[in-house]
Amino acid sequence: MKYVLVTGGVVSGLGKGVTASSIGVVLKACGLRVTSIKIDPYLNTDAGTMSPFEHGEVFVLDDGGEVDLDLGNYERFLDVRLTRDNNITTGKIYQSVLEQERRGDYLGKTVQVVPHITEAIKNWIESVSHIPVDGKEGPADVCVIELGGTVGDIESMPFIEALRQLLFSVGQNNFCLIHVSLIPVLGVVGEQKTKPTQHSVRELRALGLTPHFLACRSAEPLLENTRQKLSQFCHVPVGNILNIHDVPNIWHIPLLLRSQNAHNAILMHLDLQSVANPPNLQEWTDRAETFDNLTNSVRIAMVGKYVGMADSYLSVVKALLHACIACSLKPAIDWIAASDLEDDNALSTPEAHATAWRTLTNAACVLVPGGFGDRGVKGMVLAAKYARENRVPYLGICLGMQISVIEFARNVLGMERANSSEFDKDTPNPVVIFMPEGSKTHMGSTMRLGSRRTLFQSPDCLTAKLYHNSEHVDERHRHRYEVNPEMVINFEESGLKFVGKDETGKRMEILELTDHPFYVGAQFHPEFKSRPGRPSPLFLGFILAAIGQLGSYLQNPHNGNL
């Protein structure tokens, strides 16, 4: 097994995840099989209980793992299916070691960070790196490891020591260290500054790791004298200093690495030249150029709770991007804080209220994504009502589906106090209820999680046609509450059809409103399996409906020209 370690310095948020994913793409384009590991040094066991404001979205894997959003980047870029063990956290490592200590596995020894924690980290990396994630037999050729945070963080010290030991045990030809750093430009002077990177590399070397490559983030391409200076003071050959400057879209990053011959240098370092081919990135080139040349756009109203931070809905944004590009459009996402739509805000913040409604009414389609808690629910219900009554394409995901059920119950079925038992435990009409598949008190790992099968109830429904007339679909879930099965008949008699159910028939998975261009709710999260060049069928149908082309697409879905 060959390892490529990606670390970061100077500041967080430099794009280590995209850099690591792009390195994997270039190596995969050379004919190598690639897997990925993300190390998060926080003490949480997983990302499941972390606020989207704190850490961005929680990405869900097939096996139900709730992981860092960077694993979503890996899956989208490399087209692989990772496991929960591909995300290592301090919490998982300590939990594992403490369980062994309680069992007596250490035979009375004093359990310490070195060697016991570091050994656990090494063993975890070595075992997970051999798990195939691309659907083929046998382990991958290269494992790309991203170490979260920045070099020098106290919490990442055990991981850096473990990785130093891993380098020592596998040898230089099997381990490549790429350090991502920032090259800032001071406004007054206008000079590219290398000192922050020098200090970052010095810190890394003091911990026993010397970078083989520098991946330098900058607004503009690096100047030659900047490269020379970095090489001289950081002990990295000029040819191994990669520049990842700002580009129009992230699909250019693998092309940027190839243009700098990063693949050849990495392959040479890892002694893989004899088994690798020249990189075939034609698909990525076409995709990047296609997006750059798009001129038309579609306005999408995203009505959610966490709109202050785009990373909170990263997979939804990517799924919209994939669907829009398939329709030769650029997505123009209008973020609307759900609470701004609420009637109460008309008095307290009239300008925000007016702006939110103006934005909603100007959009070609409305999307209500997932979320937890009751903040903003009234605004989401109003958005769903607007889309239903004005025949505007609507896609509700997870909470968004439950919102459409609540709205329909209140305004069509006349149940004025209809609600979810999550938001109102005393509602006389609990149209959404807790479906026990976990604990009500412990929040971590208690939800209906991971890939589950949905059976279409009729081949004639819109969703089944979008999924190419499949009888079933496997999508990823992350929720605790479900549509109340005892009230389904009331909805269906009034035109709200539950066209997708689980294998027991008790859990409602997909709803459609008859006599509407596109009014669809999904209890699962279709965005997690959307890929560049292979958009999620629900998102594709949503965008096609917004531009009035859904009917023609359904008549000939395989023509390749939308």
Side-chain angles (χ1 to χ4, degrees), residues 50-166:
M50 298 173 76
S51 165
F53 286 121
E54 184 94 11
H55 208 69
E57 77 169 3
V58 177
F59 191 81
V60 179
L61 303 171
D62 275 351
D63 65 0
E66 297 174 282
V67 296
D68 186 85
L69 58 80
D70 279 321
L71 274 80
N73 274 329
Y74 302 156
E75 285 208 342
R76 284 186 288 269
F77 269 59
L78 299 172
D79 197 13
V80 294
R81 297 208 174 167
L82 301 173
T83 71
R84 66 176 75 231
D85 290 338
N86 288 81
N87 191 196
I88 304 175
T89 68
T90 300
K92 284 182 182 178
I93 295 295
Y94 273 82
Q95 188 176 53
S96 166
V97 169
L98 289 172
E99 284 173 356
Q100 292 178 69
E101 187 273 330
R102 290 291 86 187
R103 286 198 306 264
D105 293 357
Y106 294 113
L107 303 176
K109 290 184 177 178
T110 303
V111 181
Q112 298 174 290
V113 173
V114 181
H116 301 103
I117 293 294
T118 52
E119 276 298 315
I121 295 167
K122 277 171 55 186
N123 293 339
W124 195 306
I125 290 172
E126 289 180 315
S127 63
V128 172
S129 65
H130 284 77
I131 298 172
V133 293
D134 56 3
K136 300 177 182 176
E137 295 292 323
D141 301 307
V142 180
C143 177
V144 179
I145 305 168
E146 180 194 345
L147 176 61
T150 52
V151 171
D153 293 344
I154 290 173
E155 58 262 33
S156 64
M157 291 299 182
F159 291 101
I160 289 181
E161 173 58 21
L163 290 162
R164 184 195 65 77
Q165 292 178 22
L166 181 65

Side-chain angles (χ1 to χ4, degrees), residues 438-494:
S439 165
K440 283 191 179 183
T441 54
H442 287 69
M443 296 188 74
S445 297
T446 61
M447 289 184 277
R448 189 161 188 255
L449 285 165
S451 182
R452 304 296 175 90
R453 180 153 291 184
T454 295
L455 304 178
F456 292 113
Q457 304 301 297
S458 165
D460 297 327
C461 68
L462 169 64
T463 317
K465 292 175 183 176
L466 286 171
Y467 278 99
H468 305 298
N469 299 311
S470 299
E471 293 181 357
H472 61 81
V473 62
D474 297 320
E475 293 279 11
R476 298 175 184 178
H477 294 68
R478 184 177 184 250
H479 60 96
R480 293 188 181 88
Y481 290 80
E482 308 260 4
V483 175
N484 189 342
E486 294 179 3
M487 304 186 75
V488 165
I489 189 168
N490 302 56
F491 290 104
E492 295 203 322
E493 286 175 351
S494 297

Side-chain angles (χ1 to χ4, degrees), residues 178 213-216 222 227 239-244 257 260 262:
I178 300 174
F213 293 81
L214 288 179
C216 300
L222 281 188
R227 286 178 182 271
N240 288 5
I241 294 176
L242 311 173
N243 181 208
I244 303 177
L257 292 172
Q260 298 174 60

Side-chain angles (χ1 to χ4, degrees), residues 27 30 32 262-273 276:
L27 294 177
C30 292
L32 300 173
H263 56 288
N264 283 332
I266 294 170
L267 292 171
M268 188 181 300
H269 180 87
L270 295 174
D271 198 19
L272 285 171
Q273 288 173 301

Side-chain angles (χ1 to χ4, degrees), residues 340 344-356:
D340 286 345
D344 296 345
N345 281 29
L347 296 174
S348 58
T349 53
E351 286 187 15
H353 180 264
T355 301

Side-chain angles (χ1 to χ4, degrees), residues 37 40 165 222 246 343 515 553 558:
I37 293 175
D40 283 305
Q165 292 178 22
L222 281 188
D246 291 351
D343 295 337
D515 195 30
Y553 171 77
H558 304 294

